[in-house]
Amino acid sequence: KAKDLGVISEALMNIAIEIPLGFLLSIVMNHEHKLSHTILFGFSVSLSVESIQWITKTGWFETQDLMNNTIGVLIGYVLYRWIVKGRK
């Protein structure tokens, strides 16, 4: 059970780390920004980080991290859009 909590907390941490990226990307790209761009950009950043970890042997290349990080970027995008709609 402690192992399960560790896995869950790691997944939530990977998601939370990328939420600001999705939010800030939405601010920077503003009206030209699309959901597909967010997903692609978030995945690309995560893939780059995971690849660097693998190449430099400073961490593990984990596909679960790729998915969780991309979900975090997506949540940041959704939060930004929700806040912007609330102001109009």
Side-chain angles (χ1 to χ4, degrees), residues 72-85:
V73 171
L74 178 61
I75 291 171
Y77 171 88
V78 169
L79 286 173
Y80 175 80
R81 293 296 176 197
W82 182 59
I83 290 169
V84 167
K85 276 190 173 184

Side-chain angles (χ1 to χ4, degrees), residues 6-76:
V7 170
I8 291 169
S9 67
E10 183 180 343
L12 292 175
M13 184 175 64
N14 281 325
I15 290 170
I17 286 171
E18 297 298 324
I19 291 173
L21 179 61
F23 194 89
L24 292 172
L25 182 62
S26 298
I27 291 170
V28 170
M29 296 183 80
N30 203 1
H31 67 283
E32 298 175 15
H33 193 63
K34 295 182 180 177
L35 177 60
S36 60
H37 294 148
T38 301
I39 292 171
L40 181 60
F41 188 80
F43 182 81
S44 298
V45 168
S46 182
L47 181 61
S48 298
V49 170
E50 293 296 317
S51 296
I52 290 169
Q53 287 179 348
W54 180 68
I55 291 167
T56 61
K57 298 183 184 352
T58 57
W60 298 97
F61 186 101
E62 298 185 37
T63 55
Q64 188 68 39
D65 288 352
L66 287 172
M67 293 186 325
N68 291 332
N69 291 344
T70 305
I71 290 169
V73 171
L74 178 61
I75 291 171

